Amino acid sequence: MKKQVLITGANKGIGKAIALDLARDDFEVVVNYKSDHHAAQETIKCIEQNGGQARVLCFDVSDRESCKAVLLKEIEVHGPFYGIVLNAGIKNDCPFPDMDEQAWDGIMSTDLDSFYNVLRPLIMPMIQMRCGGRIVTVTSVSAITGNRGQVNYSAAKSGLIGATKALSLELAKRNITVNSVAPGIIETDMSEGIDETIVKQIVPMRRRGKPAEVSSLIKFLFSPDASYITGQVISVNGGMV
């Protein structure tokens, strides 16, 4: 029986790349999306064309009750997950003095609260499965360095790192690893507004990263070779410090 992996926000960008990589490693991938059903189906199609197995699961990671209901039903039908990648995230940039409550709360509910909303229903079934597991949270270089106009985003992603490190200590004896991956400027929708001149100024490698360069690291963290790596934050950012 193939090991099941849930990837939030797997319908495009980094999430899609992660889904394709893990499917190639013989995991059965569950592609989560919030609203873009067509993009999610495209991810499924790409996986199946390469001989992999996948299915879609629609829910909003910021909606606690919806997450709980959908995920518990999913476990009831398909059994526990071996792995989870918390990739879904949004940003809403503006200077802090101009940041209204919606800009703050919206980022927190999607980028930080989703840690609790998604993982809380899934952890005990994973533990009870007694075959270890893998959890990876996708944070950001902004959580490490900070960034102008991203006080909300940096705060949420920093909180994600703290939660990841704490959970790794709780689950280590269960052979469940919990790590964070911190991408820099990657070729996705979230980086479209960044001018290429700026990219060359702040990234030592003078280019944007590719989603596959992030997903290949997560693929490694899901491999048997990474079984002794937990509680770590690993950057994929072209040398940004």
Side-chain angles (χ1 to χ4, degrees), residues 147 185 194 197-206 237-241:
N147 194 25
I185 302 174
I194 304 174
T197 303
I198 300 298
V199 173
K200 290 180 179 180
Q201 287 175 352
I202 64 178
V203 180
M205 292 191 75
R206 297 176 60 80
N237 62 23
M240 297 173 68
V241 293

Side-chain angles (χ1 to χ4, degrees), residues 28-164:
E28 183 176 355
V29 173
V30 177
V31 173
N32 160 256
Y33 71 101
K34 177 183 175 182
S35 58
D36 194 340
H37 180 73
H38 175 72
Q41 289 296 334
E42 282 298 309
T43 301
I44 297 292
K45 182 179 178 181
C46 290
I47 289 171
E48 292 177 342
Q49 285 176 342
N50 285 288
Q53 294 183 14
R55 63 182 185 273
V56 295
L57 193 61
C58 180
F59 63 88
D60 180 353
V61 298
S62 70
D63 186 333
R64 183 163 299 161
E65 292 306 314
S66 174
C67 283
K68 182 178 180 180
V70 170
L71 292 172
L72 289 179
K73 180 65 175 177
E74 186 73 7
I75 292 171
E76 181 182 332
V77 175
H78 296 283
F81 288 97
Y82 171 79
I84 304 150
V85 182
L86 296 180
N87 167 74
I90 60 172
K91 67 173 186 172
N92 187 353
D93 297 354
C94 65
F96 187 70
D98 297 329
M99 189 174 293
D100 60 22
E101 292 178 2
Q102 184 178 0
W104 180 269
D105 293 341
I107 295 297
M108 290 299 162
S109 62
T110 297
D111 291 9
L112 180 56
D113 290 351
S114 58
F115 182 94
Y116 181 91
N117 298 347
V118 175
L119 290 183
R120 181 63 175 77
L122 301 181
I123 290 298
M124 279 310 299
M126 179 185 283
I127 290 172
Q128 292 165 353
M129 193 167 52
R130 296 182 183 276
C131 65
R134 298 285 191 270
I135 298 171
V136 175
T137 63
V138 179
T139 179
S140 169
V141 64
S142 293
I144 299 169
T145 65
N147 194 25
R148 291 183 180 89
Q150 290 191 332
V151 173
N152 50 359
Y153 185 72
S154 295
K157 291 296 189 178
S158 296
L160 195 59
I161 289 174
T164 298

Side-chain angles (χ1 to χ4, degrees), residues 165-195:
K165 286 180 172 288
L167 186 61
S168 73
L169 299 177
E170 294 186 11
L171 297 182
K173 65 182 179 182
R174 309 286 186 176
N175 291 319
I176 299 172
T177 67
V178 190
N179 293 289
S180 277
V181 171
I185 302 174
I186 309 297
E187 291 177 357
T188 67
D189 294 347
M190 290 184 76
S191 73
E192 281 184 351
I194 304 174
D195 186 87

Side-chain angles (χ1 to χ4, degrees), residues 217-231:
L217 171 59
I218 294 173
K219 179 180 177 180
F220 169 72
L221 290 173
F222 269 72
S223 73
D225 290 338
S227 60
Y228 202 54
I229 301 172
T230 195

